[in-house]
Amino acid sequence: MDLENSTNVLILIFSAVAAGTIIVLPLLIVGLNVFRSVVVIRKGTVAVVERKGKFLRVLQPGFHVLVPFLERLHTLRWRWTETYTNTSGEDVSQCHEAPTDRIDLREQIMDFGVQRISSRDNVELMIQPVILYKLVDPVRVCYEMYDLVHALDKLMQTSLRAVVGDMSLDDTLASRDDVNSSVMRALSKTARNWGVEIVKLEIVSIQPMATIQEAMHKQLAAERTRRAEIVAAQGYREQERLKAEGAMHGRVTVSKGEQATAVLLARGTADARRKIVAAEAESVRLVGAALTDFGVEPTQYMIGMKYIEVSGATPPHAESKCSNQVIKTDI
């Protein structure tokens, strides 16, 4: 009898618990859905509402209440890549993925990691692009592309290969702005259809393979050595030219000085001779004037004076003339 009563009590307890569960569980489900129907959208984000699996509206920042069981927020999977440097000094990219029902309309950065691209001259380059983008059309973001980040990644790879593949290594390294603008045009045209606006694109680094870098360093060192030798040769040539010009100008100056000295000496000699001749002429004139009274020619006097200077004797005809003149004078 006691066992039968205990069994009945247990049955009643389990029945009560089952009945309570049947009543409470739907209430919990209803309460949870009502609680989830209250949505607060922060500034800078939006959310897409679906009713019965169809697009209904876009929730702007503020307080909103959804219809339970009929309306829900569209959920999309968003992936992002983080690039960091490990202990070995290598750049490592790590991809993260998480579901979200909020669409951030602020400008964001997407790092695509290092892309291996071959140039026109078959040189493998390691290029790391980064884009600055923002989501401008939430509806297109949710419904036009299933995996938007993966699509942008592949579109970046194909655009880079198309642009860099038509350029040589030197052109790629020297024309980074051209690469940026070309890839950005290709991305923007397609990404606009997915509700994404590409604000800016930058190439973080362009690095050839290690063997190419070593060859470029050797080429650069050889080019610098060649330029240094050219500069040294030009300096030596300029030095020799200046030396030759200096020697030439020195010789010209010395010759001009000697010429001026000779001219001055000639002018001095000529002036001296003119003065001597003028003095001799004046002396002849005076002697001639003095000898006129004695009947002696000035030329005979000059010849006699030269004869006396040369031989130290008196000319015979001068002695006779002088004696005759003296005798005449005495008489």
Side-chain angles (χ1 to χ4, degrees), residues 39-43 45 59-65:
V39 179
V40 177
I41 306 298
R42 295 184 177 181
K43 184 177 181 180
T45 61
L59 298 182
Q60 301 297 329
F63 180 82
H64 303 274
V65 178

Side-chain angles (χ1 to χ4, degrees), residues 212-325:
I212 301 299
Q213 289 186 6
E214 184 178 358
M216 291 174 62
H217 291 326
K218 291 181 179 180
Q219 181 181 1
L220 181 60
E223 180 66 19
R224 289 180 176 176
T225 302
R226 184 183 67 85
R227 291 182 180 179
E229 292 177 353
I230 291 175
V231 172
Q234 290 178 349
Y236 179 75
R237 182 183 63 183
E238 187 69 16
Q239 177 184 0
E240 294 298 321
R241 185 181 66 82
L242 292 176
K243 285 183 178 179
E245 289 182 357
M248 180 188 68
H249 288 303
R251 293 191 184 97
V252 170
T253 304
V254 171
S255 62
K256 288 182 178 180
E258 292 177 351
Q259 180 184 8
T261 303
V263 170
L264 293 175
L265 290 175
R267 288 178 179 175
T269 304
D271 292 340
R273 288 180 179 176
R274 281 195 297 269
K275 291 179 179 180
I276 292 172
V277 171
E280 289 179 352
E282 182 66 20
S283 63
V284 170
R285 187 182 63 78
L286 295 174
V287 171
L291 295 177
T292 304
D293 298 335
F294 299 98
V296 179
E297 295 292 334
T299 54
Q300 293 179 355
Y301 172 77
M302 296 299 297
I303 291 172
M305 293 300 296
K306 291 294 183 182
Y307 181 79
I308 292 171
E309 291 178 3
V310 175
S311 62
T314 302
H317 61 279
E319 291 180 355
S320 62
K321 287 191 177 218
C322 288
S323 60
N324 292 333
Q325 191 67 31

Side-chain angles (χ1 to χ4, degrees), residues 34-63:
V34 171
F35 177 77
R36 293 179 59 183
S37 64
V38 178
V39 179
V40 177
I41 306 298
R42 295 184 177 181
K43 184 177 181 180
T45 61
V46 295
V48 174
V49 180
E50 295 178 341
R51 174 176 289 182
K52 297 180 181 180
K54 296 181 180 180
F55 169 74
L56 180 62
R57 66 183 184 275
V58 177
L59 298 182
Q60 301 297 329
F63 180 82

Side-chain angles (χ1 to χ4, degrees), residues 79-86 90-97 109-114 128 130 149:
R79 295 190 303 172
W80 68 95
T81 304
E82 292 183 356
T83 303
Y84 61 94
T85 303
N86 58 14
E90 299 177 352
D91 293 336
V92 179
S93 299
Q94 188 174 4
C95 183
H96 303 275
E97 183 177 356
I109 295 177
M110 184 179 295
D111 188 355
F112 294 94
V114 177
Q128 183 180 359
V130 173
V149 177

